[in-house]
Amino acid sequence: MWGWWRFGKWTVLIMFLHIISILIFTKGFLLTRTELPHSSHCSDLSQSPCHSSPSSSSCWTKPAVDRLIIIVLDALRFDFVAPSSFFEEKQPWMDKLEVLQRMASENPSSAKIFKAIADPPTTSLQRLKGLTTGALPTFIDVGNSFGAPAIVEDNFINQLIQNGKRVVMMGDDTWTQLFPNHFNKSYPYPSFNVKDLNTVDNGCIEHLLPSLYQQDWDVLIAHFLGVDHAGHIHGVDSTPMIEKLEQYNAVLEKVIKELQNQSGPGKLHENSLLLVMGDHGQTLNGDHGGGSPEEVETSIFAMSFKDLPSLPSEFDSSSCEPSKNICISSIPQLDFAVTVSSLLGVPFPFGSIGRVNPELYALAVCTWNLDDDKTWNNQGQTKLEEWLQNYANVLCINSWQVKRYIDVYSASSVIGFSSEDLFHISDLYSKADENWSYTKNLSSYKHGSSNTSLPVLKRQIVAYSNFLSYVAELARSKWTEFNLKMMGTGIGIMLLSLYCHTLAIKKLNKSYGVSLLSSRDSGISFGLMLTFFMVLIRAGSLLSNSYILKEGKAANFLLATTGIMTLRYSFMKNKMLIEAAIFLLLTFIFRIAIEVGLYKQAATSQFMSSSSSWMLGISISPSLWTYMAEIVPILALIILGYFLYKSISSCCWGIPKYVIMGTILSYFLIALHWISESNILDLAHFLKGFGKNSIPRTVYAITLVQLSLLAIVPIFSKEETSNCRGSLFVKMMSILSACSSTIIILQGKQGALVALGSLLAGYCMMRLQGIEKHTVSGTAGISILGPLPVLQWSLLAVCLLFASGHWCAFDGLRYGAAFVGFDEFILIPQAILLTIDTFGFSHILSVFGLPLFVAFPSPFNQTEHKSLFPIKLFWIFMVYGLITAITATATILCVTIQRRHLMVWGLFAPKFVFDVVGLILTDLLIFVASIYYFDGVEDRIGNAKLRRLW
């Protein structure tokens, strides 16, 4: 270990600096909004300038509905609900919720479809928090999506309980985690097994219809999950998705029929309101979490069971489809909590900054004091005035509550609004409020002129609406006041870590005769200049949101550029032409794979096989394509297994031999697993007693045994060998083979192809390393190292991340991989599997595969002394870590510069999270790999020699 510490202390120091830097920067960048402990109470209204309701039984507003049914269809895209005629092209998944469209067409004044706009990030946890609190989400909460903590802020559910409302919940168990002990009855079902499309939905169906006949609730919440899970596993354009939508249509038809049957005078649902809504949308591939239109656009269908007049045109934002007599309005989800609170007559959540939406509010409140009039004419003119007077009063309460929250928040939070913003907020509120004392007295003039009062009321409503809209937009743009001092400190420490990285490499260069200079003493080598230029281009590209979206393509372009340069030198020297050509061909293949991976965001399920794999969408015979999709990955596994078998027969001994044999067995089991799921061969009856989870768990167990042997056996058994290269190669093959089987089975059938492609690319890079250098005669102590192969390896790692179907966003995580071998959600195993799937090729195998450039001698530099092998290996680890750290530093600088960018939370912040997590993981892997590969280095090279070198 003494020899390892001489090298490893630098990795420890750099990893420590990275962790400290990232923690400090994150504290300044991803600040959470301060959650105030205050709650709204009925008595608070006495402090406002607004009317209090004359009814002793009501609170802030008079209850407009007696019962509220909220049916949440998770990941409900807007085009699932809106008629296909609203879109340029009809898709197979459209018009499946036919009952909602029919109700909106037949009863346009009492049933309405809304396009609901969510605020990103669009994870389920944050959307439920936003819907119930009326507050904007905070980015850092996205990390809690798999373990939802109870909401401590004042919220709609809390207000219901405080004011004696009875709430029943069924479906997604996230509700019981967010609101423990809040429900009179609850029927929660586990929500994180994305492969299970039916358990949660069947539970909802089982309890929903019988609950409609019961009188022990005021608010009923049913949260269905099947559409969300069908999207994650199969995509939007898939048979399971269409079947789910048709199932929902049948359920909703029964619900609406029952509510209509019980909506007559004196019946149970005489004054009920039905809301069918989504918490967020989803991409065509079924992902969500970002801020794209597909993800933030969902829908709300609202239906009252009374005949209602139409809303005044000034407050109607509908766009209509005349052929179907359907009009669709838009509503921010931010408005949901305060609007529903006003309808039920409970205080608005203390931290809500939404506005009571006039169109949703009118669906219920227009039932007041109406006879059979369905227009605003004659007697209806007076009713219109009454409605406007009431709505203006509601907006007065709404504006007062928002102004109170802003004042309290700014006084108690370090992250408050600026004095200039507060002044503008106060000015808008004062202007909206200054005429209220006159406007609210209009109700006392029973015989006043409507021609006078109506314009005044409308101007008052517009004034309050402008105030509320301004506050909401201001909060969206400036909610987080970044702590620039902490961010600057974090950047400074990160730059210090880069200096330490450079210092360690420079010390190696000086102490051990390792050179980065041109062998002709003409200054900096071409490889070093090209590497520096490539790293600089990649770092600068992170300033652009477009380049971040196409990061995989940019990395592949840079990799192909280096491939063209090596091909040029191969022609000049007439050496390694085949390797250079193969490498360039592989970059083209990876480019196609990245294109497919990116297109996966907008692709239909035709790209997806039943085993969650992607394949190239080429116009060929479907049957031929099916055979290729099934057979080619298995052939790739056979080739990988054959390569491992040849390595056993040639240079493996002892424990490594058994480790590699275990991997070959795992490959056989993986192939058997794929065959069992094949559409070509029906082998289900052969594997009847062997559950679908048995093979993945067996592969995981083999991997654990392999890693345990590689970690423990060398402690008690030291193998003496003078063949340093051979020993290093055996160690590398052992650890790579042990890790590869789990990564491949998690990746699906694409895993074998990606693994084979990375193996071939690595071989070509190893053979071509140093080709750009001039051939010279050197002494045995001097090794001319070039960073270009390490840069190529780093770019290849980025390509592997995108080629395997991932991208740097939370909707780029393949959640289905977490359930390979598991049916139930268990946090730690699922988190580990998801991490391995995400970072397996791009980080784990890439770091442990770096010794490839040391285990084989470069054909262009054969004079290395064996004592330089561990030094060269350490040098490669340090250069690889430096390239990764420079990219992460560039990302940190970019999010600092772009902190006010429109896409900061939808794009730049997720990129920041992925890069800093990747950096820490790279540091940790380099630390572990250095211990693993340097073990016994004193015995092979000589302790005294290492001491002299250091």
Side-chain angles (χ1 to χ4, degrees):
M1 288 299 289
W2 187 93
W4 172 85
W5 177 247
R6 287 294 182 265
F7 301 108
K9 63 183 181 183
W10 288 102
T11 65
V12 174
L13 172 63
I14 291 167
M15 181 166 57
F16 173 77
L17 290 175
H18 285 166
I19 293 173
I20 297 299
S21 169
I22 290 168
L23 288 177
I24 293 176
F25 182 87
T26 302
K27 186 70 175 176
F29 177 62
L30 297 182
L31 291 174
T32 56
R33 174 175 49 83
T34 303
E35 296 182 342
L36 302 182
H38 308 291
S39 295
S40 297
H41 301 90
C42 288
S43 59
D44 295 345
L45 194 62
S46 60
Q47 306 168 18
S48 79
C50 312
H51 277 310
S52 58
S53 174
S55 172
S56 59
S57 62
S58 60
C59 191
W60 285 16
T61 60
K62 181 179 179 179
V65 297
D66 298 327
R67 313 188 94 193
L68 177 65
I69 303 98
I70 301 175
I71 298 178
V72 181
L73 306 181
D74 206 288
L76 183 71
R77 286 170 57 99
F78 175 61
D79 58 4
F80 287 168
V81 179
S84 58
S85 55
F86 276 79
F87 305 94
E88 293 182 359
E89 182 180 355
K90 182 175 180 179
Q91 300 293 343
W93 59 83
M94 294 179 180
D95 298 331
K96 300 303 177 184
L97 297 178
E98 179 270 337
V99 64
L100 303 184
Q101 297 179 13
R102 189 174 73 248
M103 290 298 105
S105 176
E106 295 175 355
N107 309 283
S109 61
S110 58
K112 196 173 189 66
I113 295 173
F114 294 85
K115 177 193 285 188
I117 309 299
D119 289 289
T122 48
T123 57
S124 293
L125 166 67
Q126 288 179 304
R127 285 295 81 236
L128 292 183
K129 290 184 69 173
L131 284 168
T132 55
T133 63
L136 291 172
T138 50
F139 179 83
I140 205 164
D141 285 339
V142 77
N144 295 324
S145 290
F146 291 100
I151 294 180
V152 297
E153 274 190 296
D154 193 16
N155 57 80
F156 163 59
I157 303 295
N158 184 55
Q159 287 296 333
L160 292 175
I161 302 304
Q162 284 186 1
N163 291 274
K165 301 292 185 182
R166 301 160 299 171
V167 185
V168 172
M169 192 285 304
M170 56 199 70
D172 186 350
D173 62 352
T174 305
W175 286 89
T176 57
Q177 299 173 42
L178 292 174
F179 308 103
N181 306 317
H182 280 65
F183 303 111
N184 295 70
K185 288 183 181 180
S186 62
Y187 308 97
Y189 296 89
S191 58
F192 285 112
N193 185 1
V194 294
K195 292 185 176 181
D196 184 356
L197 307 186
N198 298 313
T199 298
V200 177
D201 289 358
N202 291 342
C204 286
I205 295 170
E206 178 185 353
H207 298 288
L208 175 58
L209 292 174
S211 296
L212 296 179
Y213 297 94
Q214 298 172 4
Q215 302 184 25
D216 58 351
W217 56 268
D218 301 297
V219 177
L220 183 150
I221 301 171
H223 192 142
F224 290 75
L225 277 176
V227 161
D228 180 68
H229 290 184
H232 282 303
I233 298 301
H234 303 286
V236 170
D237 186 11
S238 64
T239 300
M241 177 65 76
I242 293 174
E243 289 175 348
K244 268 294 159 191
L245 292 173
E246 291 173 344
Q247 180 190 27
Y248 287 176
N249 186 69
V251 171
L252 292 173
E253 193 153 17
K254 292 179 181 178
V255 169
I256 292 173
K257 182 179 180 181
E258 295 301 328
L259 292 175
Q260 288 176 328
N261 291 339
Q262 301 179 62
S263 64
K267 291 188 177 181
L268 187 59
H269 293 289
E270 177 185 6
N271 197 23
S272 295
L273 180 68
L274 171 66
L275 297 178
V276 180
M277 59 186 295
D279 53 348
H280 51 74
Q282 58 178 303
T283 65
L284 289 177
N285 188 55
D287 297 316
H288 58 87
S292 68
E294 289 180 311
E295 295 166 280
V296 301
E297 291 179 2
T298 181
S299 186
I300 295 178
F301 169 81
M303 183 174 183
S304 177
F305 296 92
K306 293 234 178 163
D307 291 332
L308 305 172
S310 300
L311 188 69
S313 59
E314 294 90 337
F315 307 106
D316 192 342
S317 63
S318 301
S319 60
C320 300
E321 176 58 46
S323 62
K324 291 200 173 185
N325 193 33
I326 294 180
C327 296
I328 295 179
S329 299
S330 181
I331 178 175
Q333 280 192 351
L334 193 67
D335 296 348
F336 176 81
V338 67
T339 304
V340 174
S341 296
S342 68
L343 294 176
L344 289 167
V346 299
F348 306 161
F350 187 89
S352 171
I353 58 172
R355 178 187 68 144
V356 176
N357 183 270
E359 296 169 86
L360 182 56
Y361 184 74
L363 283 176
V365 180
C366 278
T367 61
W368 290 1
N369 302 320
L370 288 177
D371 297 319
D372 294 327
D373 302 74
K374 295 188 180 181
T375 64
W376 297 107
N377 298 322
N378 302 325
Q379 182 184 355
Q381 191 79 355
T382 303
K383 295 175 181 178
L384 170 60
E385 182 181 340
E386 292 175 0
W387 185 88
L388 291 176
Q389 175 73 39
N390 174 71
Y391 182 60
N393 183 66
V394 170
L395 284 187
C396 175
I397 298 172
N398 191 181
S399 300
W400 166 79
Q401 166 262 324
V402 170
K403 179 65 165 58
R404 177 185 65 166
Y405 170 67
I406 295 297
D407 290 342
V408 174
Y409 184 87
S410 298
S412 58
S413 174
V414 180
I415 330 164
F417 294 95
S418 67
S419 57
E420 181 181 351
D421 292 331
L422 289 175
F423 175 80
H424 194 45
I425 289 173
S426 298
D427 183 57
L428 279 176
Y429 181 74
S430 299
K431 289 179 179 178
D433 193 51
E434 63 185 4
N435 293 325
W436 176 244
S437 58
Y438 165 74
T439 304
K440 67 180 180 181
N441 290 328
L442 290 175
S443 60
S444 63
Y445 297 105
K446 301 296 182 182
H447 303 289
S449 171
S450 295
N451 294 331
T452 302
S453 59
L454 287 179
V456 173
L457 287 170
K458 291 177 180 178
R459 284 197 298 270
Q460 188 67 53
I461 291 171
V462 170
Y464 280 134
S465 297
N466 289 341
F467 164 76
L468 293 167
S469 298
Y470 176 79
V471 172
E473 289 306 314
L474 180 66
R476 283 190 178 96
S477 63
K478 293 188 176 181
W479 194 269
T480 301
E481 286 296 327
F482 302 104
N483 190 326
L484 295 180
K485 290 184 179 179
M486 296 190 72
M487 293 171 68
T489 302
I491 292 173
I493 297 175
M494 183 63 75
L495 294 175
L496 176 62
S497 74
L498 296 182
Y499 172 76
C500 293
H501 240 131
T502 307
L503 186 65
I505 295 173
K506 188 176 181 181
K507 187 174 179 65
L508 277 175
N509 294 340
K510 289 186 176 180
S511 301
Y512 308 131
V514 178
S515 175
L516 285 174
L517 298 180
S518 170
S519 54
R520 289 184 174 177
D521 297 326
S522 59
I524 303 299
S525 69
F526 172 78
L528 178 59
M529 290 190 295
L530 181 61
T531 301
F532 177 80
F533 183 64
M534 293 288 185
V535 172
L536 189 64
I537 290 177
R538 178 158 153 68
S541 69
L542 298 176
L543 276 168
S544 167
N545 60 312
S546 299
Y547 274 95
I548 290 178
L549 287 171
K550 306 298 183 183
E551 183 182 5
K553 293 182 180 180
N556 182 264
F557 172 79
L558 296 177
L559 183 63
T561 302
T562 64
I564 293 172
M565 297 305 300
T566 55
L567 182 63
R568 173 178 176 268
Y569 281 107
S570 295
F571 275 114
M572 291 173 60
K573 297 187 177 184
N574 198 26
K575 293 181 179 180
M576 305 295 176
L577 289 172
I578 296 178
E579 288 86 345
I582 292 175
F583 178 72
L584 204 56
L585 177 63
L586 286 171
T587 61
F588 174 72
I589 294 174
F590 280 123
R591 176 67 175 80
I592 297 175
I594 291 169
E595 191 70 43
V596 173
L598 292 174
Y599 190 66
K600 175 177 175 281
Q601 301 174 58
T604 66
S605 59
Q606 292 173 355
F607 274 104
M608 308 288 290
S609 71
S610 59
S611 59
S612 70
S613 305
W614 51 257
M615 292 295 170
L616 182 60
I618 303 174
S619 278
I620 55 177
S621 168
S623 59
L624 177 60
W625 171 244
T626 301
Y627 279 102
M628 290 176 59
E630 301 286 355
I631 294 173
V632 172
I634 296 176
L635 290 177
L637 263 187
I638 293 173
I639 294 172
L640 290 171
Y642 176 76
F643 175 77
L644 292 178
Y645 173 78
K646 293 296 290 184
S647 67
I648 290 178
S649 60
S650 61
C651 59
C652 277
W653 55 86
I655 292 300
K657 179 176 182 179
Y658 296 105
V659 168
I660 294 178
M661 288 176 63
T663 301
I664 295 175
L665 174 61
S666 294
Y667 286 175
F668 172 78
L669 292 175
I670 293 171
L672 185 64
H673 180 64
W674 291 345
I675 292 173
S676 69
E677 296 182 340
S678 172
N679 296 323
I680 302 174
L681 300 174
D682 185 11
L683 299 181
H685 57 285
F686 289 110
L687 302 170
K688 187 180 297 182
F690 206 56
K692 65 176 182 178
N693 295 330
S694 300
I695 290 179
R697 292 183 179 183
T698 303
V699 172
Y700 302 155
I702 292 174
T703 299
L704 285 175
V705 172
Q706 290 172 310
L707 294 177
S708 300
L709 288 174
L710 293 174
I712 296 173
V713 171
I715 298 176
F716 304 100
S717 175
K718 299 288 185 181
E719 294 188 12
E720 298 294 335
T721 176
S722 59
N723 186 359
C724 296
R725 281 201 175 100
S727 175
L728 188 61
F729 172 75
V730 168
K731 284 195 133 191
M732 181 187 70
M733 289 302 302
S734 300
I735 189 71
L736 291 180
S737 65
C739 297
S740 65
S741 54
T742 294
I743 295 172
I744 288 173
I745 198 170
L746 290 177
Q747 289 279 330
K749 294 178 182 177
Q750 64 181 4
L753 300 175
V754 174
L756 182 59
S758 61
L759 178 66
L760 292 174
Y763 172 79
C764 294
M765 280 189 259
M766 176 271 298
R767 294 286 291 164
L768 293 166
Q769 64 172 320
I771 194 172
E772 77 280 3
K773 296 182 176 64
H774 297 283
T775 304
V776 297
S777 58
T779 62
I782 300 296
S783 176
I784 301 175
L785 298 181
L788 186 58
V790 185
L791 171 68
Q792 290 178 316
W793 192 254
S794 175
L795 293 173
L796 176 65
V798 178
C799 292
L800 294 179
L801 175 70
F802 287 86
S804 56
H806 301 90
W807 54 91
C808 295
F810 296 109
D811 56 356
L813 297 174
R814 299 173 66 252
Y815 296 104
F819 293 91
V820 175
F822 294 89
D823 288 327
E824 302 297 329
F825 177 78
I826 309 171
L827 180 61
I828 294 179
Q830 262 68 64
I832 293 173
L833 292 179
L834 187 61
T835 302
I836 293 173
D837 172 75
T838 305
F839 298 106
F841 282 116
S842 61
H843 290 73
I844 298 174
L845 295 186
S846 295
V847 170
F848 281 106
L850 281 169
L852 181 70
F853 299 106
V854 181
F856 292 93
S858 169
F860 306 98
N861 187 21
Q862 301 279 358
T863 59
E864 296 172 351
H865 192 278
K866 69 176 184 178
S867 64
L868 292 177
F869 295 159
I871 298 167
K872 184 176 179 181
L873 180 60
F874 176 69
W875 183 91
I876 288 175
F877 278 139
M878 293 301 294
V879 171
Y880 186 86
L882 178 61
I883 293 173
T884 306
I886 289 174
T887 303
T889 304
T891 300
I892 291 174
L893 290 171
C894 290
V895 297
T896 303
I897 296 170
Q898 303 281 23
R899 64 188 181 276
R900 295 298 181 194
H901 193 279
L902 179 65
M903 298 289 291
V904 63
W905 303 120
L907 184 65
F908 288 99
K911 171 62 177 170
F912 162 76
V913 171
F914 271 79
D915 274 12
V916 297
V917 169
L919 176 62
I920 297 300
L921 182 60
T922 299
D923 289 339
L924 183 61
L925 290 171
I926 288 176
F927 174 77
V928 173
S930 63
I931 294 178
Y932 173 73
Y933 286 119
F934 280 70
D935 179 54
V937 70
E938 299 97 333
D939 301 327
R940 295 189 182 95
I941 304 302
N943 220 347
K945 188 172 185 66
L946 283 174
R947 282 193 176 95
R948 288 197 304 272
L949 286 171
W950 197 259

